Every structure is written in structure tokens, then in C-alpha cells.
Amino acid sequence: RDFNERCAQCSEVNWGLTDGGRFYCRSCHNVTERTREVVNTDFVSNTRIQTISKDLRKQEKNDGGCEWYVCEGFQLVLKKQAEALEALGVSPQMKDEILCNFWRLYLQKSKQAYCNRPAGETVKALSVCDSSTDVDSEPERPSLLHLLSLSESEGDLQTDCSFASSTSKISESTSVCSGSVDGSMYLMKNQKEKLRMTMPMTLSFCYMALLWLREPMTLSDLLRFVVEGHIPYLNVFQHFPEKMKLCGLDLKIFCVESWPVYEEVYNKMLELAAFLDLPRFPDITDSCFLHPDMLCMKYLMEANLPDELHNWTCRVVKKIRIGEADFLTLVPGNKSTRKVKYDVLAVAVIVVVLKLLFLLDDHYEWLLSDFAEERNKNNKEGGPYFEFKKWYKVIKCSLDVEQKKLDEERAKYLWRCEKPLFYSAQKKSKVLKRRQIVVNLQNQFGKLSGSVRPAEKPNPSSFQLSWSEENTDGSCFHGHSLKGILQEKCGLLTAMNPDYWLCTVKLCTEKLCGHLAHYREVEFPQSYHFVLRLFSFLLRIQPSYIHDEVCAIEHKLFNKKLCKKPKYNIGLRK
Amino acid sequence: SSREHKLNFKKSKEVCLSYIQDAMLQKQWKRAAEFLTFYVESLEKDFSTEYMGPSEMIWRIGTEILCHHSHSSMKEFNSFIEQMKTLGVKRYLKVCLEHAFHLLCNGLIDEAYQNLSLAESWRFGEQTVLQDKEMKLIRAYRGLLDYYSWSKQKNILLEHGREGFEDLSVEQEMHSCFRKAAVNLKEIIKIPGVWDLFVKCYVDLLEFYGDHNEARQVLNEYAYNSKFPANPNAHVYLYQFLKRHGEPKKSLMSALKILHDIVPSHELMIDFNTMLQKSKKRKKRRLGLEVIFAALDYAGWKENVKAWNCLARQVKQIVISEKHLDWIKQEWNSRKDWWPAFHFSRYLAKQNWQENESLSYEKALVAGILLGRDCKYFKYISHQGCKAQMKRFRILKKFVNKHNLVYLRIS
């Protein structure tokens, strides 16, 4: 059906399939040598990827494996991820429509399928593991070492030779091997223009689809779910069917040994969106979860801050016009606008509001807190006034505990799984032996660990910290009032704090050094760092990312004042 | 900079390792075991560029944990070590050796012997050559265990001999142990190093079978071969051997001379001084004075009555003969600034008198001569002694009074 070549005899495009799986022209009954390969079905919908191959193909190889292409593998990965997301509550539309359409578009654009001359065609020379001793005679055939070293430049693929146990041991006569048909070629060609698919990129696909549907899941949520194991990523090849054998260079493609980084996944997503020539994404309006007003509310709750702060965040959002659909909506390919990281943006707004109200210079916020405490003594009606000191104590305690737990979890990650991976058949016995030893040791020392072995994953939840107002110990600050730190002026409540310090006077050029500012903990007040640390924990990103965003917001907020000679910005810092 | 924070396999294993180390330092063995279970998968990854790979780490950490953990048994330990042996062929013999040590420490001598024998028969191409040192050690320790068996057999024989039995099989066994032990012990002590135990055992064997020449040669080699590290014990062994065999004083003294040079505070210095004092040669007597003064420089000798007695005797003899006061002067010269506070304070006088009267007697004599009758120490002790109406203290007082001006001449 999707085979678009013209028939050699009658130049028609009207193909059917013989029993032997070969194409024949319905008009003139010319049977071609081309065979149709049906891939194991991945998506529920009718779309199937067809790849065209030369005649020497066998459906089943000796070891019960079939021939498969790398993109089929990725397709399977995406399918698993989409299913997991659906299980987490994402709309089924994502799996059934959006993601698979994006994927199809990608295959088309990268010429791996759905087009006239699929890239797989030139694969034949390298497909099967034929051990040839005169490798060097073929100039095109890349050596193992060359391929392994090539991926050094790719940041995403792990470049370790663990599976081969050491490059020096690989002799030149080892054949370039991979279980997939085009595994070796996949790594070799410089496919920068075609945007080669990688494991981290699967997450970019997912996020892109989520964004298109405006699902209530931020990128930091997504990545956290991945690390917590709710979304298949690490060792996802375990879910490949038995027939799809992985070996050799497939391992470099499909096995990950590092957790994806926010920035990388995000940037890749932008690249992808541009590559696919996608139009403007559906608008992010103020009823969307991703809108700063919404996200601010979420993070305020999670950070155990008073609900009243929400008014302030909305004010800031409005003032610097970051709540407008044009600002928030993604327009792929448009290089002039700075792209929005919704979660980081929301969190940064909160940080700015805290600075507005509390100054956070390691001095004023404590004075203000004492002041509020005084006022609280006389405060009989209504809720208690918010005291920064109390909040700090509660949060610091929880944060330290959670951070410690997280650090221990990180030390306990298990990267390998039961399904063993061999680089080549020769390595198989060694790998299996090692695996056996590892399992034995795990059992032996596991028994000595005592009773503590909770291997369950934490329940997936959008909130990592939760605070209940029913707690009588007063550890929930949601209902607290800001009146303790506000004053009346002309009938309006304004902040008592008249000052503000900028994180940086001048923004860096992001294109040159990748950041708007360079955060160094020692140069900033500890309260500021604490607040960054809190949100950095919640989002699982580095404090410097949030700092960048804070700088950007500040510059928008104080734009006018910055253009003029700054008169009253006390305590300017770089 | 995003790359630095990327959490990958290697980094998370590094972090895991630091948790293990923390737990071990705090002796939290359960916790260490827990984190070790997460660390072991490092074996499945290539760390060949690291200085110390995961297999060695796991071997060492696992050994520590199994040694200290309350629930671990010898059986578990053995099965663990057998796994470790398969992990690193480059380390095979080292692991075997340490396993044997561990068995010995737990009193499992037969098992240790079996392990060593097994290890001895191991061959693995060029690795056998590369691990030659370990192989020698394995043979040496097996030799030591052979000696131990020999010793047991010997004792049995002596028992039976006393009771009037004769036991041919035990005797044969004993001789065979001797042969095995001798071969390996002899080998190892050829290599420059510290082999105290091996040397002692080997010499014991040789002496039993009457090969005194060989024994003497071995001990001389061990003590005097400059390739071997300076080892006081070597000289002690040689001295003891020579003494056992009634060697002349001259050779005994030359053996002890080097010991004095290396360890002036050695306990044999008393023997040495005693021999030297009695010598007819002036040089030797001079050396004797030097030796005893040097020994008493050390805090461990402060309350050694015998040592003080040696010194007192010699000082007394010199004073009476009125010859060689310059010897005392020379020795006292470097000590007059600190010995008074070190040995002869008023506090020490009180303490010595209370605890050990003989000590105070000897010291008082020395103090009286070196510092004069008005010195704190002498005054207090002689006063106490005379008050207690002890005859020898009265004699002492007289003696010091008589030679009171000596201290002026030597200061």
C-alpha cells in the first residue's frame, strides 16, 4: 500500500502481495524481487511501517531471531512509554494519535520509511553477522574501534566499552555486528541533518506529545517518573519480543547508563519540533495546567507557602506579560523568542515574589519574621500570620530528610537487569558467568543486610511533599496570612520591604555561553540559596537553571529601572 | 556544565561506594552489606581504566563485612572467597594467601594447609610467573605449617619416649614434615626481608638435627647481610644461639654491639653492660658505661632496678678507683641538662621511696655522685633511709659524703 515505486514494466503504481510476500504489479502481474517486511505491530492504529529490502532476506534466522531495524526498536520503546503514560492518567489520544503521528512524521522526514528511497536500502553489506577475515579489504566497512570511538562525540550515547570489556582486546577481525539490521550503520553516518534517534530523544517525543495535548504533566514531572521507574527507559529492551535479538552495537543505541538531563531532553524537543516542521502548538491559556498561574499554585502548595502568595505571583505574571498565550505557546523553528520551560518559569516567579516580600538578604527576612511573630501575639481573629522563621524550620527539616533519602536512592540505583547483554556471541559465556556471580553476591549480602529491602517503587504522584491543614502541629502554612508582613498604604496592602536586589545586573548572552547568568552559591545569600535548593529538589534540576530564569524575570520586571540609572537598588550584586 | 551533574552508572557506583565506606567506618555492618548488594553490579561493567577495579573492592570490602558481621559464618566466608578467586586471575594467589591467613586466624589450620597446598599447584600460563612472589609466600607459609606439624610430632615422640614407647610411624612422619618444612623455609629466607618467624623455626629444625653450622650461617646471613633490612631481632636470635652454644664472650659481645647501635633501649643491654663491665679491656668497660647510660635515656627504663644497679656499680667502681672520671664526665655532659628533671626530681624521690626502696637506693647513689650530696634526690632518699635506720643507706651516705667533690669535677 505504501510502496510507491513505479512498476518497471507498466509504470503503474498498483501493487499487491503474493503469497511469498513479494510485490507484484496488479496491472501487468510483474513480480518483483522486492519483499515486504511486516514489522510486529506497535500501535493500535492501522499504521504500519514497511521497510523494503533485497531478496536475500530470511524471515527467521537460525537462532529464532528475526531481522529488525533500529527504528522498529525505537517504535517499540515509544509504544511502551505511551502505555505507561496512559496508565498514569494521560489521555489515550496521546498514544493513539499524537505520538504515533509525530513518529510517522519523523520517519518520513528522516527517510527511514514512508518515502521513496528509505535509508535502509543501502544496508545490505553490513546486515548479517558474517565473519569475514578480510575486513580491511573493504574500505567502506568501518572497524569496530572506529564505530565505538565515533559515538564519543555524541553526548547521549554512553561510550563505554563495558560490553566489549575493553577496546584493546577487540581484534580487527571481529566482524561489525549488531542484532539489528542497520545497527552499525546507524552509528556510523553523520546523521546530524537527519536528527538521529536516541534513547533520550524518546522522552523528547513524549514530552512533545504531552505539550501538544497540553496534558497536566511538566517535563520535570516526566523525568522524575522516568527515574522512579514508572515510565520505561532504563533497560527498556527487556520488553522487546524474543525474536528481536540485541547484540553488538545495538547495545550502544538502546542501553542507557545515565539518567536524562532536563536541558538535553528539552533542547532536543525543540530541535525535533523544528525538524518536523510542526506548526504553532495549541495555545497555552490561563485555564491550562502549564500556565504560570496554575503551576505557581501547585508549587506554592508543595512548598508549603501561604495561598495568599498566589495573588502576588499572578501580579508578577501579569506585569511582565508572561501569562499571554503568545509568550507561552511553542512555535517551533522560531529562533527569536526564548523558549518557555513552564515548570522552571513558575518556580522562578515564586522566588521573585519571595524576594519582593522578604528580600532574602539573610537579614531582613528574619527581622520581618520577628515582627510578624510580635504581631501574631496580638492576632486573635483570623488565621495566624505567616512567619518566615517557622516556615524555614519546617521546610528545612523536611527537605533535609527527603534529600537524604534521594541521595541514598541514587546510591542504590541498579543499572543492569536480568536480561543479559552480550556484545557478541564470544562474550556470551563470560557475561553470563559474571551475571551469576553478581546474583550470588547480591543474595549473600542481601541476607546480611537485615530486614530492610523495600523494593517497591514509590507511588507515582505529582506532589512530592504534601502538607495537610489538619495537622495540629502547625506545620502547614497554606492558610497563613501575609498580613503580618504587609502594610496598608492608601487602602492597599503593600510589602513592607522597600528594597530589592538583582541577581545580576547584566544578563549573559545565552547563545554564547548557554546561560543567562552564572550561579555560584557563595556569592548569594543563604536564604536565597535555600529557596533555590527547595525548588531544585522538587524539579530535580540544578539551582543554576532556576537562577537563570529568576534573572530573566527580574530583568523584565525592572526593565524600566534598569534602562535608567539605577537609583535605589540597594545591594546590587552580580 | 549540565554534563557534570549527569548521573550515570560510574558516578552512582562511586556514590554507593562512599556510602559503604561510611558505614564500615562506623561499624554498621548491616548497612554496609546493604549498599554492597547495590555495588556488586559494577562487576558487569568495564572499569579497566581505574586504579582499583570493582572486583578487588568487592573482595576487600566483602571480607571486612563478613569478618565483622554477627550473622556471618566461616562457611559463608569460604564460599565468598571461592567466588572471589574466580573473579580476578591476576589476584588469584593473593586471595588464596589471605584466605589462608583468615583460616589460620580462626584456628582452622588443616583447612589453611589444604588451601595453601592447592594454591601451590596452581598454574596459569604467564600469570604463574607474574605472581611468583605470592607463590613463594604460599610455599613459605606452608613450610611454616609443616614446621608446626613437625613440632607436634616431636612433642608426641618426646612424650612417648618418656613413657618408654617407641613410635616409628610418628618418627617417620616427623622427619617427612621436617624435610618439607626445611626446603620451603630455606627458600624464603634467602630473599631480603623480615622473616623472623621463619628464621626461628628453621634454626630450631637445624639445631634439632644437629646441623649447627648451617644454623650459624643462616643467622649470620640474616643479621649481617646488608641486603636485608636492619632488624634488631636478627641480632637477638644470633646472640641467643651463640649463648646456647657456649660461644666465647667476645662473639657474644660483638653480636650485641650492633643491637646497641640499632636499639639502645633493648632489654639485652643489661646483659651487654654486665659482660662489658667485667671485661679486662678498657675499651670494653668504656663501652659498657656508654651502653648503660644510653639505656637509661629511655622512659621505659626509669624504674628498672637492675639497670640502675648496673650503672651504680660501674660509677662506684670508677669513683673508688679514681681512674677514668673523664668517662663519666663525657657521658654526663649531654645529660646534665635533663637527667636531673627526668630521673632525680623531688617528686620522683618521694614516689621511688614509697614504691620501690631498692630502686631508690641505686638511684640515690648515682644521683649523689653525679649531682652531689645536696641534690634533692639524694638528700631526700638518704634522709628517709637513715630515718628508717637502714644500714645500707647509712653506708651510702658515708660513701657519697666521702666523694662529694666528684660532681664538681664531672660537671
Side-chain angles (χ1 to χ4, degrees):
Chain A
R1 251 160 276 126
D2 294 68
F3 184 28
N4 288 332
E5 285 232 350
R6 291 193 177 279
C7 169
Q9 276 186 293
C10 66
S11 303
E12 289 268 4
V13 184
N14 188 4
W15 299 100
L17 266 182
T18 66
D19 288 342
R22 298 222 173 115
F23 285 103
Y24 73 96
C25 176
R26 284 208 187 94
S27 319
C28 65
H29 298 282
N30 171 34
V31 179
T32 69
E33 294 293 274
R34 301 276 174 95
T35 50
R36 171 183 155 167
E37 165 99 335
V38 174
V39 171
N40 289 329
T41 181
D42 301 283
F43 292 121
V44 173
S45 66
N46 285 331
T47 58
R48 289 215 198 104
I49 293 172
Q50 298 170 29
T51 55
I52 316 251
S53 59
K54 293 283 191 215
D55 44 326
L56 287 168
R57 294 274 294 274
K58 298 164 280 199
Q59 190 67 287
E60 298 271 324
K61 290 203 286 207
N62 299 344
D63 57 353
C66 70
E67 295 192 321
W68 56 280
Y69 282 94
V70 167
C71 59
E72 293 169 40
F74 277 118
Q75 194 166 301
L76 206 54
V77 171
L78 282 173
K79 179 186 169 222
K80 289 282 164 206
Q81 290 174 338
E83 283 170 1
L85 282 165
E86 196 178 331
L88 285 174
V90 168
S91 143
Q93 209 186 358
M94 164 164 168
K95 188 187 85 173
D96 298 339
E97 279 179 41
I98 309 297
L99 192 58
C100 75
N101 281 339
F102 280 160
W103 177 243
R104 225 186 317 165
L105 195 55
Y106 167 76
L107 288 174
Q108 208 167 30
K109 294 261 177 186
S110 60
K111 297 193 176 23
Q112 288 175 70
Y114 295 106
C115 53
N116 286 337
R117 204 112 2 149
E121 220 179 346
T122 54
V123 162
K124 62 165 169 118
L126 302 169
S127 60
V128 186
C129 285
D130 40 357
S131 51
S132 142
T133 46
D134 51 348
V135 173
D136 306 279
S137 64
E138 284 218 40
E140 273 184 20
R141 196 165 189 153
S143 75
L144 211 59
L145 294 165
H146 182 56
L147 280 171
L148 289 170
S149 61
L150 258 182
S151 40
E152 301 273 5
S153 52
E154 277 281 318
D156 292 331
L157 293 172
Q158 277 306 295
T159 63
D160 84 293
C161 311
S162 66
F163 305 113
S165 75
S166 133
T167 29
S168 55
K169 291 196 197 132
I170 301 170
S171 60
E172 283 294 318
S173 61
T174 314
S175 61
V176 175
C177 174
S178 66
S180 65
V181 172
D182 58 343
S184 44
M185 203 202 76
Y186 206 78
L187 288 175
M188 181 179 69
K189 271 206 185 150
N190 180 8
Q191 303 192 4
K192 281 263 157 67
E193 328 83 45
K194 291 188 192 160
L195 204 65
R196 177 171 52 195
M197 188 65 182
T198 63
M199 277 306 290
M201 218 158 106
T202 60
L203 298 176
S204 303
F205 264 97
C206 289
Y207 180 61
M208 200 165 69
L210 290 170
L211 185 57
W212 185 271
L213 288 169
R214 297 176 290 183
E215 285 286 334
M217 191 186 288
T218 61
L219 180 54
S220 53
D221 287 337
L222 176 67
L223 293 177
R224 185 163 57 85
F225 291 144
V226 168
V227 170
E228 287 176 359
H230 304 297
I231 297 178
Y233 184 73
L234 190 69
N235 298 329
V236 68
F237 54 84
Q238 284 180 98
H239 303 292
F240 284 6
E242 263 301 301
K243 291 188 290 173
M244 279 171 81
K245 302 266 179 223
L246 254 85
C247 75
L249 292 162
D250 300 329
L251 305 185
K252 279 210 143 328
I253 302 170
F254 289 104
C255 297
V256 272
E257 284 189 350
S258 66
W259 289 120
V261 175
Y262 186 108
E263 190 113 295
E264 282 179 37
V265 175
Y266 182 77
N267 289 337
K268 215 38 158 200
M269 192 265 307
L270 297 177
E271 230 183 295
L272 192 57
F275 178 73
L276 299 178
D277 274 331
L278 293 178
R280 178 181 164 117
F281 273 50
D283 276 8
I284 307 284
T285 60
D286 54 15
S287 57
C288 286
F289 177 79
L290 296 173
H291 192 273
D293 286 342
M294 288 286 227
L295 280 179
C296 278
M297 192 65 233
K298 174 191 190 265
Y299 290 124
L300 282 170
M301 278 177 68
E302 211 170 353
N304 200 10
L305 287 165
D307 297 340
E308 278 183 28
L309 281 172
H310 191 239
N311 302 334
W312 291 83
T313 64
C314 291
R315 278 169 70 179
V316 169
V317 166
K318 195 158 171 204
K319 175 108 197 232
I320 57 176
R321 311 233 293 262
I322 58 172
E324 292 173 9
D326 284 336
F327 174 80
L328 291 170
T329 309
L330 177 64
V331 181
N334 181 353
K335 295 224 192 271
S336 57
T337 54
R338 187 161 182 271
K339 300 293 180 272
V340 180
K341 297 173 185 152
Y342 306 100
D343 34 19
V344 185
L345 182 68
V347 150
V349 168
I350 297 177
V351 173
V352 168
V353 165
L354 289 174
K355 277 176 78 180
L356 281 170
L357 295 176
F358 299 98
L359 190 55
L360 296 184
D361 65 345
D362 280 345
H363 190 64
Y364 189 78
E365 64 272 21
W366 307 111
L367 285 178
L368 209 54
S369 181
D370 290 337
F371 187 68
E373 192 184 346
E374 276 303 311
R375 273 172 124 179
N376 250 334
K377 288 187 186 145
N378 302 328
N379 177 25
K380 299 294 177 222
E381 11 58 50
Y385 296 145
F386 177 75
E387 290 173 45
F388 189 85
K389 203 184 272 184
K390 282 203 180 126
W391 174 81
Y392 178 85
K393 278 193 197 145
V394 170
I395 293 293
K396 178 148 172 43
C397 195
S398 301
L399 185 60
D400 286 344
V401 166
E402 295 298 318
Q403 185 71 54
K404 184 163 173 228
K405 261 197 244 166
L406 182 64
D407 290 339
E408 279 199 14
E409 267 166 41
R410 283 189 173 145
K412 291 184 185 174
Y413 284 146
L414 284 176
W415 298 88
R416 295 291 157 93
C417 64
E418 272 313 311
K419 182 167 174 176
L421 307 161
F422 339 106
Y423 200 83
S424 63
Q426 296 114 314
K427 299 283 172 193
K428 182 169 177 171
S429 61
K430 186 168 181 208
V431 169
L432 285 176
K433 200 172 81 145
R434 276 285 158 120
R435 183 77 213 156
Q436 191 54 50
I437 293 179
V438 167
V439 168
N440 288 344
L441 288 173
Q442 281 174 338
N443 285 337
Q444 182 170 31
F445 287 99
K447 282 197 213 113
L448 293 176
S449 310
S451 49
V452 185
R453 272 310 301 274
E456 325 99 35
K457 298 184 272 191
N459 280 334
S461 151
S462 193
F463 284 83
Q464 296 174 71
L465 300 172
S466 63
W467 315 90
S468 170
E469 296 205 293
E470 282 143 25
N471 283 355
T472 46
D473 57 0
S475 64
C476 178
F477 294 87
H478 294 158
H480 285 216
S481 161
L482 292 176
K483 284 212 200 88
I485 53 141
L486 299 174
Q487 60 194 355
E488 280 227 30
K489 252 190 190 171
C490 319
L492 285 172
L493 283 174
T494 59
M496 281 203 273
N497 169 34
D499 298 332
Y500 194 89
W501 56 270
L502 289 177
C503 286
T504 173
V505 174
K506 188 156 183 251
L507 293 176
C508 265
T509 324
E510 204 167 15
K511 288 197 177 63
L512 287 178
C513 66
H515 292 281
L516 286 177
H518 298 271
Y519 179 66
R520 281 176 61 220
E521 183 186 335
V522 293
E523 290 172 3
F524 289 90
Q526 289 184 0
S527 300
Y528 178 69
H529 179 69
F530 176 76
V531 166
L532 283 189
R533 190 161 81 90
L534 170 62
F535 290 113
S536 159
F537 168 79
L538 290 176
L539 264 45
R540 306 293 163 88
I541 57 177
Q542 291 301 310
S544 48
Y545 285 4
I546 306 176
H547 179 74
D548 272 6
E549 210 60 44
V550 169
C551 291
I553 292 175
E554 284 177 351
H555 274 249
K556 285 200 184 114
L557 195 57
F558 297 107
N559 193 23
K560 291 204 198 101
K561 299 210 164 55
L562 280 170
C563 292
K564 287 193 272 182
K565 276 272 153 67
K567 274 193 290 183
Y568 87 156
N569 275 329
I570 300 174
L572 281 178
R573 287 175 223 234
K574 202 148 175 64
Chain B
S1 80
S2 66
R3 206 146 295 186
E4 300 147 18
H5 306 292
K6 201 165 178 168
L7 188 67
N8 59 12
F9 191 118
K10 270 199 179 154
K11 216 171 253 168
S12 79
K13 290 312 165 201
E14 270 170 34
V15 173
C16 189
L17 199 60
S18 67
Y19 274 92
I20 297 176
Q21 287 166 345
D22 277 346
M24 284 172 71
L25 282 170
Q26 295 174 49
K27 301 201 187 338
Q28 294 169 331
W29 304 109
K30 283 206 179 93
R31 192 171 150 89
E34 187 190 347
F35 278 94
L36 188 59
T37 59
F38 295 108
Y39 181 75
V40 294
E41 63 169 9
S42 316
L43 288 172
E44 296 183 276
K45 188 172 166 67
D46 171 47
F47 278 84
S48 58
T49 50
E50 305 285 323
Y51 173 68
M52 190 184 272
S55 52
E56 183 160 2
M57 288 280 200
I58 291 170
W59 167 46
R60 295 209 181 274
I61 292 174
T63 304
E64 273 309 297
I65 294 178
L66 288 170
C67 278
H68 292 106
H69 197 287
S70 46
H71 292 318
S72 105
S73 66
M74 211 49 220
K75 190 166 150 226
E76 273 209 47
F77 184 84
N78 285 336
S79 99
F80 170 72
I81 290 291
E82 291 306 324
Q83 296 221 356
M84 292 299 107
K85 284 179 186 169
T86 64
L87 271 184
V89 73
K90 289 191 192 142
R91 245 187 341 268
Y92 181 78
L93 287 180
K94 207 192 277 188
V95 177
C96 286
L97 195 56
E98 297 217 6
H99 187 199
F101 290 159
H102 197 255
L103 291 167
L104 285 173
C105 286
N106 281 280
L108 298 166
I109 301 182
D110 291 333
E111 280 90 341
Y113 191 84
Q114 277 165 28
N115 260 286
L116 288 171
S117 303
L118 206 65
E120 221 180 310
S121 61
W122 181 74
R123 299 282 178 272
F124 203 92
E126 65 165 22
Q127 280 299 322
T128 328
V129 174
L130 288 171
Q131 296 183 46
D132 183 55
K133 281 204 191 109
E134 284 85 351
M135 187 57 98
K136 288 207 165 81
L137 282 173
I138 286 177
R139 290 206 190 98
Y141 278 97
R142 218 206 69 189
L144 208 57
L145 291 180
D146 282 322
Y147 167 84
Y148 178 70
S149 304
W150 172 88
S151 183
K152 273 203 295 195
Q153 309 290 5
K154 183 187 80 170
N155 289 337
I156 292 174
L157 261 186
L158 289 175
E159 262 306 304
H160 288 183
R162 241 174 288 150
E163 291 165 13
F165 294 153
E166 268 206 20
D167 202 328
L168 218 61
S169 67
V170 172
E171 197 174 328
Q172 276 178 351
E173 172 108 28
M174 189 183 96
H175 291 321
S176 120
C177 283
F178 156 71
R179 276 191 292 275
K180 283 191 280 184
V183 155
N184 284 326
L185 291 175
K186 184 173 179 173
E187 268 306 301
I188 199 71
I189 61 181
K190 278 193 201 154
I191 306 172
V194 178
W195 307 110
D196 288 355
L197 187 59
F198 300 88
V199 166
K200 268 179 100 169
C201 296
Y202 186 47
V203 165
D204 190 28
L205 287 173
L206 290 170
E207 283 194 276
F208 184 83
Y209 286 93
D211 195 349
H212 302 307
N213 280 330
E214 176 74 9
R216 181 185 290 114
Q217 203 169 348
V218 161
L219 287 170
N220 271 312
E221 257 298 290
Y222 194 52
Y224 295 121
N225 186 340
S226 56
K227 288 206 191 103
F228 282 68
N231 184 355
N233 292 332
H235 302 275
V236 173
Y237 298 153
L238 181 60
Y239 169 77
Q240 287 168 342
F241 174 82
L242 295 171
K243 196 166 167 194
R244 275 202 296 277
H245 293 269
E247 296 282 325
K249 288 267 187 310
K250 186 172 169 195
S251 28
L252 291 178
M253 283 194 282
S254 71
L256 287 179
K257 170 76 172 64
I258 305 188
L259 188 59
H260 159 70
D261 289 336
I262 311 176
V263 188
S265 58
H266 199 279
E267 57 182 7
L268 285 174
M269 291 304 107
I270 291 185
D271 290 22
F272 193 31
N273 169 271
T274 310
M275 276 192 275
L276 289 168
Q277 265 194 52
K278 290 193 196 140
S279 167
K280 294 200 174 69
K281 297 218 177 115
R282 201 187 326 149
K283 258 194 182 165
K284 291 272 187 287
R285 293 199 302 274
R286 174 70 186 89
L287 179 62
L289 193 67
E290 186 187 318
V291 163
I292 195 66
F293 261 105
L296 285 167
D297 279 341
Y298 289 86
W301 289 78
K302 273 168 105 165
E303 293 177 4
N304 190 319
V305 180
K306 252 192 162 164
W308 284 106
N309 173 265
C310 286
L311 181 58
R313 245 189 308 135
Q314 202 163 9
V315 162
K316 189 171 175 180
Q317 197 267 330
I318 290 172
V319 162
I320 288 175
S321 72
E322 293 190 4
K323 269 201 269 186
H324 307 304
L325 277 172
D326 56 310
W327 290 359
I328 301 183
K329 184 172 180 167
Q330 280 162 21
E331 290 304 322
W332 187 237
N333 203 23
S334 59
R335 292 176 172 92
K336 62 187 177 201
D337 293 325
W338 62 280
W339 266 44
F342 191 55
H343 287 302
F344 303 126
S345 66
R346 191 175 157 78
Y347 172 77
L348 278 170
K350 283 190 182 162
Q351 194 182 42
N352 294 154
W353 176 251
Q354 235 180 347
E355 291 174 4
N356 193 338
E357 186 201 291
S358 309
L359 175 68
S360 56
Y361 173 80
E362 305 292 346
K363 279 178 77 175
L365 194 152
V366 176
I369 294 299
L370 294 176
L371 295 169
R373 68 178 168 202
D374 290 322
C375 80
K376 293 182 267 199
Y377 196 90
F378 178 76
K379 258 175 113 171
Y380 182 84
I381 296 296
S382 65
H383 175 76
Q384 293 292 328
C386 293
K387 200 165 78 171
Q389 299 198 340
M390 289 176 160
K391 185 171 172 191
R392 60 176 180 163
F393 283 92
R394 266 188 282 131
I395 300 175
L396 174 65
K397 193 168 178 183
K398 275 199 198 137
F399 178 81
V400 170
N401 280 332
K402 183 173 170 191
H403 299 280
N404 187 42
L405 297 174
V406 169
Y407 85 94
L408 290 169
R409 290 169 67 187
I410 61 170
S411 62

